[in-house]
Each structure stands twice: as structure tokens, then as C-alpha cells.
């Protein structure tokens, strides 16, 4: 069976035409699914009987099954979904003053092994298909629609998994969610975060020059970075900086460096000065993230967030401290799934 959520409007038009239907039929189905949130072909009242029969025989609109939903005091909502094969993934809905934002997952588990991350403790089982990533956005849009709230306006690809390690499905997902006839979220409202798989940067620059890119840097030098991020042994900070320069030259877009502050590891004033020197002159901003505790690590939360930020500012580096969302519901990436898998 074909999965509806793997299709852009254009792809569905081609498929329906190939099977003897009309181009406009694809738009009809899209309107039912994306505007009216109807997923039962039999209820799509303006479709011909023959089209409904064909759709029922050849295509399914699968839905995620919601296992757990935790709502934080600040409105952040964390979902644990069960996929058709029984694997579980997390998705987070956050409300900012610029609108609702979703953090999606791209893999079941992750092989990058970052020491501060709950997802890295559960190895990658498989990549998500494009449809499974799209379904996270669709499910949350449906949830918001039923509550009479505004739909999702921003997507961050920062959940479980390394997106550039699942490049083909990520690409397909980005093409589907940017399609104006469906979910319709513009390139500039989407940010993809990578731990630094710079081997994919040429593809990224060619395919998605307008989609935001964030790099998980988390250290000002290779010595610290290698201790907390094994990927640094394959692509180190020098590789990252040279590829970032290439990216900025090609796209003229500002890049985001994410920096999780961990007590005694990467949060000293000296680290802040070193980081400022490293990124000086690069069109970037630094997103400082207070580390959220996860089980099975000896790391502690930094008490130097404000000072670290001030040091960067004194160097003229643009930085922000990420607004903490859902701290009362363990909203750090992977924690809900990690706890659930251990039961
Ligand atoms: S931080 Fe991201 S890349 Fe690193 S282990 Fe966690 S999910 Fe994977």
C-alpha cells in the first residue's frame, strides 16, 4: 500500500493521472486531508466512487498512535508515538510568541553517541521514512485544529536522531511540508540541526539553501568536543568551520551554533573567550542551551550561563540563551522514550 504522507501534490497528481484519474482529483484529496483533517477516503464526499475505490485499494493514510501525552505548565506538550512496527518516537509541541513550533524526530534512536544526550543512549534502530516524519507534523496540526488553536508555523528538526544521517528521507520530508497545497511551511520557518556531518554539506547547499541550518558545536576546541561528541573524531571543529564558511558563501545565510552548557566541562569563562575567537567574523549566532539532566550521566547543569553569555557579548558575538520549555515534563530529547523503553 502507498502511504499518502509520502506525496507532494505534484507527486499525487502524477500518480492519479497514471491511473486514469484527473489532475484536480489530487487537490481534492489534499483539501480533505490537510484542510478538513479527514483521513477516511469514504467520507470524502466530492470524490467519484471509482476514485474512492482506487484509493482504498492502493493507498492508506496511516496515523500515529499516541502512547503518552505530557502537558507542561508552560503549555509545551510532549508526545510519545508508537509506529506501525512498534518502535516509539518523541515529538514536542512548543508555543512561542511567534507561534506554535514542532520539534520532530528523524530516526528511531541515534548512533552519534553524544555523551550528554538521552537519545544517544539508545542506539539507532532504523531511519524514519519521510511519511513518518510528516505524520508527526500532521498529527500535531490535527490536535491543534481540534482544540481550535493556530496550526504549526515553525519546524525544528532537532528531535531524536541525526537528520543528515537520514538525508533522503529528510529531503523528501522537507519537500512535502513546504508544499503550499499541504502543510505549507516556508523554508525560512524550518531549521535542521546537525551534529556536524559536513560530508552532507554540498548536498544541503544544493538542495536546501533557504532552510535554516544549526550545528551542535558544544565545545570551543577539539579536545573538549571529542570527549563529549564522538563525531568529532570523524569531522572535527576545523572541518566544521571550513564547511560553514563554504555554506555562508554559497547561501549568504546566517548559521546557528548550538552550545549546551555543562558544568565544569565546557562552561568556563576561558571556554567562552575561546568560542568567541573561534567564531569571530563568521555570519552566525550562538544559541546557548542550559543542559537538562538525563539519567546515566555524571554531568551537571551549568551555573555560568549568564556570565558565559556576557563574555560572548563583550566580544561582539550575537548570542541568545534558549528559552527553557517543558522542564517539568523531561522535555530533553529522548528522555520520554528512554524511560518508556526501560519499563
Ligand atoms: S544530540 Fe542529537 S546527534 Fe547527538 S546523540 Fe543526541 S540525537 Fe544524536
Amino acid at each position: 500500500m502507498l502511504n499518502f504522507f509520502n506525496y507532494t501534490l505534484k507527486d499525487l497528481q502524477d500518480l492519479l493521472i497514471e491511473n486514469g484519474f484527473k489532475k484536480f482529483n489530487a487537490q481534492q484529496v489534499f483539501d480533505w486531508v490537510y484542510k478538513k483533517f479527514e483521513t477516511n477516503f469514504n467520507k470524502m464526499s466530492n470524490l467519484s466512487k471509482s476514485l474512492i475505490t482506487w484509493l482504498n485499494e492502493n493507498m492508506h493514510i496511516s496515523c500515529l498512535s499516541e502512547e503518552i501525552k505530557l502537558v507542561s505548565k508552560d503549555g509545551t506538550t510532549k508526545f510519545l508515538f508508537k509506529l506501525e512496527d512498534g518502535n516509539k518516537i518523541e515529538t514536542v509541541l512548543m508555543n512561542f510568541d511567534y507561534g506554535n513550533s514542532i520539534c520532530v524526530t528523524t530516526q528511531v534512536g541515534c548512533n552519534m553517541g553524544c555523551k550528554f544526550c538521552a537519545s544517544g543512549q539508545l542506539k539507532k534502530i532504523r531511519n524514519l521514512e519521510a511519511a513518518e516524519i510528516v505524520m508527526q507534523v500532521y498529527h500535531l496540526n490535527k490536535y491543534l485544529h481540534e482544540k481550535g488553536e493556530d496550526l504549526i508555523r515553525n519546524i525544528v528538526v532537532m528531535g531524536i536522531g541525526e537528520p543528515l544521517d537520514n538525508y533522503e528521507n529528510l529531503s523528501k520530508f522537507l519537500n512535502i511540508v513546504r508544499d503550499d497545497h499541504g502543510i505549507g511551511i516556508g523554508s525560512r520557518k524550518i531549521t535542521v540541526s546537525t551534529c556536524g556531518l559536513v560530508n552532507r554539506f554540498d548536498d544541503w547547499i544544493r538542495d536546501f539553501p533557504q532552510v535554516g541550518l544549526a550545528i551542535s558545536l558544544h565545545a570551543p576546541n577539539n579536545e573538549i568536543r571529542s570527549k563529549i561528541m564522538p563525531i568529532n573524531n570523524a569531522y572535527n571543529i576545523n572541518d566544521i568551520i571550513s564547511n560553514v564558511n563554504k555554506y555562508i558563501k554559497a547561501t549568504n545565510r546566517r548559521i546557528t551554533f548550538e552550545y549546551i552548557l555543562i558544568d565544569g566541562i565546557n562552561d568556563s569563562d576561558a571556554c567562552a573567550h575561546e568560542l568567541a575567537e573561534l567564531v569571530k567574523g563568521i555570519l552566525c549566532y550562538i544559541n546557548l542551551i542550559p543542559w537538562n539532566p538525563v539519567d546515566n550521566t555524571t554531568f551537571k547543569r551549568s551555573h555560568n550561563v549568564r556570565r558565559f553569555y556576557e563574555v560572548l557579548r563583550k566580544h561582539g558575538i550575537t548570542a541568545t540563551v534558549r528559552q527553557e520549555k517543558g522542564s517539568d515534563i523531561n522535555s530533553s530529547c529522548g528522555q520520554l522514550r528512554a524511560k518508556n523503553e526501560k519499563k
Side-chain angles (χ1 to χ4, degrees):
M1 284 291 251
L2 306 167
N3 191 336
F4 171 84
F5 289 116
N6 269 325
Y7 287 77
T8 60
L9 180 71
K10 167 86 179 61
D11 294 340
L12 189 61
Q13 285 169 341
D14 293 346
L15 179 74
L16 293 186
I17 289 167
E18 259 170 46
N19 286 280
F21 299 100
K22 299 274 185 269
K23 190 177 171 185
F24 74 87
N25 291 141
Q27 182 68 63
Q28 289 177 310
V29 180
F30 255 55
D31 286 350
W32 278 106
V33 177
Y34 287 115
K35 293 207 170 92
K36 299 181 188 135
F37 292 94
E38 180 55 68
T39 52
N40 181 346
F41 294 127
N42 297 322
K43 293 190 178 165
M44 300 183 181
S45 53
N46 59 351
L47 305 189
S48 65
K49 279 206 177 106
S50 59
L51 177 55
I52 291 175
T53 305
W54 186 89
L55 288 166
N56 278 326
E57 283 171 1
N58 295 284
M59 187 167 255
H60 72 123
I61 305 182
S62 55
C63 296
L64 292 166
S65 121
E66 210 175 282
E67 289 265 296
I68 297 177
K69 180 169 72 206
L70 296 177
V71 184
S72 157
K73 283 186 210 133
D74 65 20
T76 301
T77 309
K78 189 161 195 172
F79 297 81
L80 185 73
F81 293 122
K82 192 162 161 187
L83 302 170
E84 279 175 352
D85 64 359
N87 279 307
K88 290 172 189 167
I89 56 165
E90 290 180 25
T91 308
V92 184
L93 172 65
M94 293 160 289
N95 182 266
F96 293 98
D97 41 14
Y98 50 82
N100 284 321
S101 185
I102 183 175
C103 178
V104 295
T105 281
T106 52
Q107 295 179 318
V108 181
C110 182
N111 275 347
M112 299 299 135
C114 304
K115 302 281 189 266
F116 47 80
C117 170
S119 306
Q121 294 173 7
L122 298 170
K123 291 282 164 234
K124 179 173 112 177
I125 294 172
R126 68 173 176 87
N127 286 328
L128 291 192
E129 288 171 20
E132 291 171 320
I133 315 174
V134 175
M135 278 151 62
Q136 296 171 56
V137 184
Y138 185 75
H139 188 101
L140 267 58
N141 262 346
K142 193 168 181 205
Y143 168 76
L144 289 164
H145 172 76
E146 281 162 6
K147 288 189 3 157
E149 292 181 16
D150 287 345
L151 302 186
I152 287 159
R153 291 219 201 136
N154 302 276
I155 298 176
V156 290
V157 185
M158 295 184 186
I160 301 170
E162 163 51 53
L164 299 190
D165 184 41
N166 184 12
Y167 193 81
E168 278 68 35
N169 289 313
L170 173 75
S171 304
K172 206 167 166 189
F173 159 75
L174 290 173
N175 290 333
I176 295 166
V177 291
R178 292 184 308 160
D179 187 345
D180 280 340
H181 303 279
I183 290 170
I185 296 188
S187 297
R188 286 171 177 266
K189 302 281 182 191
I190 305 174
T191 303
V192 172
S193 172
T194 173
C195 67
L197 295 195
V198 295
N199 56 323
R200 281 297 194 173
F201 271 36
D202 286 342
D203 298 326
W204 181 263
I205 291 167
R206 181 196 61 223
D207 299 337
F208 302 107
Q210 297 307 318
V211 175
L213 187 63
I215 296 184
S216 302
L217 192 61
H218 307 325
N221 59 50
N222 286 320
E223 196 192 335
I224 298 176
R225 196 165 192 266
S226 294
K227 280 188 194 148
I228 56 175
M229 298 180 72
I231 188 66
N232 202 59
N233 297 315
Y235 306 113
N236 65 26
I237 289 186
N238 313 339
D239 299 323
I240 290 177
I241 298 298
S242 63
N243 278 282
V244 161
N245 285 328
K246 189 161 75 173
Y247 167 83
I248 293 168
K249 196 166 171 215
T251 64
N252 203 27
R253 292 218 61 190
R254 186 168 72 159
I255 199 145
T256 304
F257 288 117
E258 292 170 318
Y259 197 104
I260 290 183
L261 286 155
I262 310 168
D263 180 54
I265 302 284
N266 62 358
D267 69 335
S268 65
D269 290 3
C271 284
H273 287 292
E274 199 177 351
L275 178 62
E277 287 304 327
L278 181 70
V279 303
K280 207 164 252 178
I282 296 177
L283 181 62
C284 70
Y285 94 95
I286 296 183
N287 194 5
L288 296 173
I289 307 167
W291 182 70
N292 255 331
V294 299
D295 293 344
N296 302 327
T297 70
T298 52
F299 294 151
K300 292 196 196 77
R301 235 171 125 77
S302 171
H303 300 291
N304 201 32
V305 177
R306 217 6 80 181
R307 267 172 68 100
F308 200 97
Y309 168 78
E310 289 302 337
V311 172
L312 293 178
R313 275 190 44 134
K314 278 187 193 137
H315 278 275
I317 306 296
T318 312
T320 50
V321 177
R322 183 184 287 176
Q323 240 177 299
E324 288 198 75
K325 290 278 184 187
S327 49
D328 54 322
I329 55 163
N330 284 335
S331 86
S332 284
C333 149
Q335 294 205 74
L336 189 57
R337 174 172 172 259
K339 287 198 170 132
N340 205 259
E341 296 287 335
K342 281 177 205 152
K343 278 180 191 166

